[in-house]
Amino acid sequence: MTAESSYSARLPAWVLLSAVLGIAAGALLGDSASFLQPIGTGYVLMMEIVVFPYIICTLLHGLGSLTTSTAMRLFKSSWLIYLGVWGITFFIIFLLSFAIPPAPPPSFIDANTPAKGLNLLEILIPSNPFVDLVQNHVPAVVIFSITFGIAIQRASNKEAFLSVLDVMRTASVTIWNWIVLLAPLGVFALFANTVGTLEPDKLLDLSLYILTVLCGTLILAFWVLPSFIAALCPLTTREVVRELQSALVIAVVTTLSVAALPFVQRAVEKLATQLEIEDKDRSEVLQTTLAVSYPLGQLGNYFIWLFILFAAFYYRVPINLTDQIALPIVVLLSGIGSPSSSIDAVAFLASWLDLPTASTNLYVELMTVTRYGQVVASVMGFAFICILVTLNFYGKLHFRPKKMAQSVVVSCVVLVAVTVIGRNIQIHIPYNPSAPYMSFTLPTELTQGLKVAMGELDGTPPAKESEKEEKLSRLDRIRASGELRVGFNANVIPFSYRNANNDLVGFDIAYAYQLARDLNVNLRLVPFQWQDMVADLGEDRFDLAASGIYVTEKRLRELDVSAPYYRSPLALIVHADKAEKFLSRSSIEAQENLKVAVFDDPVLLPIAKGLFKGANLTVLSNYSNLADLPDIDAAIWTLEQAKAWAATRQNYTAVVPGDLGGEMLIAYLLPKGAPELRQFLNYWLQLQQVNGFHDRMVALWLEGKPDAPSKKEQSSFMGHLLGWEKDTPQI
């Protein structure tokens, strides 16, 4: 035995040892283990180098080498098995789907957004194979290869071309074997980075989906499919798993189903030899079947059906009955391909069902855990297809009813038990809404080192300025005094409000901190009431007002106004079960005895009176107690504010009717006669757009997406569990 073959024989053991060491390193190093990420990523990319060459060359060579009669016989021997393995997988997912609660009413509906339709033809029909290769459209590449492979059967003088394909196919397997030798290093890096960057709190919030997928994929891989194989072949369930042990181990530790293909091929060849299947076409039949099974047998990909259902629950986006019926079919078609193509499939499904774009990122994050179960299910899917198709092709299948009945009964009992347990424990798993605004805090980089004071209005006139100070511009006075005074109203979520800890937070508050830091002065936050805001500015209570304030013609005349930094359409806060009645202005006007609440604001009040002339208006000082007034049918606000308010209450929805009105511009208000400060603010706001601060604050406060983990000070996973490292408190 050569040194290389000896190493290959011990490779699974080396890989397992590397996985254990990687877990230990990640637990101890924590976020510092992220420096290993390029090594793990590089290994994954190297494993995918020959995926397309292997699929294309194997399908073209395998189908092209067969006679038309043999190819037809292979098709007849395989189509029912493919339908069977898909049916088994989707039945399991269907049972497990009952563990996921239905989605709560949506927090936001925009009647102006056009409905999105299906567009699967682009990823199924290979109109441009080169584009399909670039965009990872594996189904189109497979269809292209199968079509040309069948056409090659009828071509003359094809031997030279087939020999080139055979060389390319052999070279692909050789490259895989080389790269697999690097598995210990790649696995160590992958495990260390994954464990080191785990967020235990987030995993707990998402544990319902994680547990459901892992249970479903493991039951499918280690019982359902092996027991079905045993019911059709002269093998026991244990023997099936044992024969595929190397394939499963290498796939799990590398998290790559493609790494298992050579091991699956060896296992099926060994079984064929035991059953005395000797035929000149055996190798082509097996290799062609294996190549087709790689994109069509990725059973782990189809568990994106569970993710889509969970994402609908997590993001409060109900799926209507028609789309729920179509969902399994769309998942089947869009899930065909490599494991990485499941990410594209999730992006496509999220777009179709109007799920947030963050759904795809959430799926990618969860794959750090769920991919182990998904890759095992896919590898067992390859084996299921290859074993049964090969044996069926040569007439070696033997149906054993008792074993099949036992497999079905045990599978159903276990899956139903998992579903019931998952549904029952779901109520005990803490669930954070998709936009938990009340838990948001100001980023540490804004608060750290900045001196902040809270100024209360007490009716005392400001101290009279000296003659020297009067000659200074407002901007110069701010710099001379060393303090920036920002007026705010704390009832304007998500621009300025108090979170669950009673800390003043929000988009405009974050901007106030950033402005004070850039001016290198202290910050004083001064509360105001809307009716007194203009007077407070005139009496020099603060230097500028910022709380999601609308730009109006009157304010432009009476005050200095900065350039708008955000715009938002008008929206309504309505009871979720009645949201459909508020999708258009005509449907709103058709309702009798409509009761509309309006914020006691000099801008919103006249707008409400103009839009809802026949409605009964109720003026509220703020919307903090709106949920305590069940008789109110709707409350008017701008979209960002209404959406944030509704996101924290499952029984309410923010609706943008189709023709309610235009957008409201939001800007800073300054006392009259502050042109230097206004000009400075305008340039400063443009700078925040350029340097990315604006986009980060929009993502956090207005879209409800907390900062990525990389932005935070993160302890090691072990340190977090054992309390070695404490979280850094935010100011």
Side-chain angles (χ1 to χ4, degrees), residues 132-151:
D132 294 324
L133 286 169
V134 172
Q135 297 183 353
N136 198 29
H137 291 169
V138 180
V141 173
V142 172
I143 292 174
F144 167 84
S145 303
I146 291 176
T147 303
F148 273 77
I150 294 173

Side-chain angles (χ1 to χ4, degrees), residues 320-382:
N320 62 50
L321 181 59
T322 303
D323 289 341
Q324 287 194 36
I325 294 173
L327 185 57
I329 300 173
V330 180
V331 166
L332 174 63
L333 295 175
S334 58
I336 292 173
S338 64
S340 60
S341 66
S342 67
I343 299 173
D344 296 327
V346 168
F348 167 75
L349 292 168
S351 175
W352 166 46
L353 296 172
D354 290 325
L355 291 170
T357 55
S359 303
T360 305
N361 294 332
L362 180 63
Y363 177 74
V364 173
E365 292 175 10
L366 292 175
M367 279 185 71
T368 58
V369 179
T370 61
R371 62 186 179 186
Y372 298 103
Q374 289 174 284
V375 74
V376 166
S378 294
V379 171
M380 192 56 75
F382 305 158

Side-chain angles (χ1 to χ4, degrees), residues 260-311:
L261 291 179
F263 297 91
V264 172
Q265 181 174 336
R266 292 175 200 168
V268 180
E269 286 177 341
K270 179 180 178 181
L271 176 61
T273 302
Q274 291 175 353
L275 296 178
E276 299 180 347
I277 298 175
E278 299 293 341
D279 183 82
K280 63 181 180 64
D281 290 331
R282 190 187 85 173
S283 178
E284 294 299 338
V285 168
L286 174 56
Q287 291 179 356
T288 301
T289 302
L290 188 61
V292 175
S293 72
Y294 177 75
L296 300 184
Q298 294 280 356
L299 304 185
N301 284 11
Y302 300 134
F303 281 80
I304 60 176
W305 183 9
L306 279 181
F307 173 77
I308 292 298
L309 295 178
F310 179 80

Side-chain angles (χ1 to χ4, degrees), residues 22 75 78 86 101 126 160 346 415 442 463 535 611 620 625 709:
F75 171 75
S78 59
W86 290 338
V346 168
L415 289 167
L442 294 170
L611 290 175
L620 302 176
N625 297 321

Side-chain angles (χ1 to χ4, degrees), residues 364-418:
V364 173
E365 292 175 10
L366 292 175
M367 279 185 71
T368 58
V369 179
T370 61
R371 62 186 179 186
Y372 298 103
Q374 289 174 284
V375 74
V376 166
S378 294
V379 171
M380 192 56 75
F382 305 158
F384 182 93
I385 293 168
C386 290
I387 291 173
L388 296 189
V389 169
T390 302
L391 298 189
N392 193 33
F393 185 85
Y394 290 103
K396 297 290 185 177
L397 288 184
H398 298 286
F399 180 67
R400 290 184 277 185
K402 288 185 178 180
K403 281 200 169 186
M404 181 63 73
Q406 178 188 20
S407 174
V408 172
V409 171
V410 173
S411 301
C412 290
V413 170
V414 173
L415 289 167
V416 169
V418 170

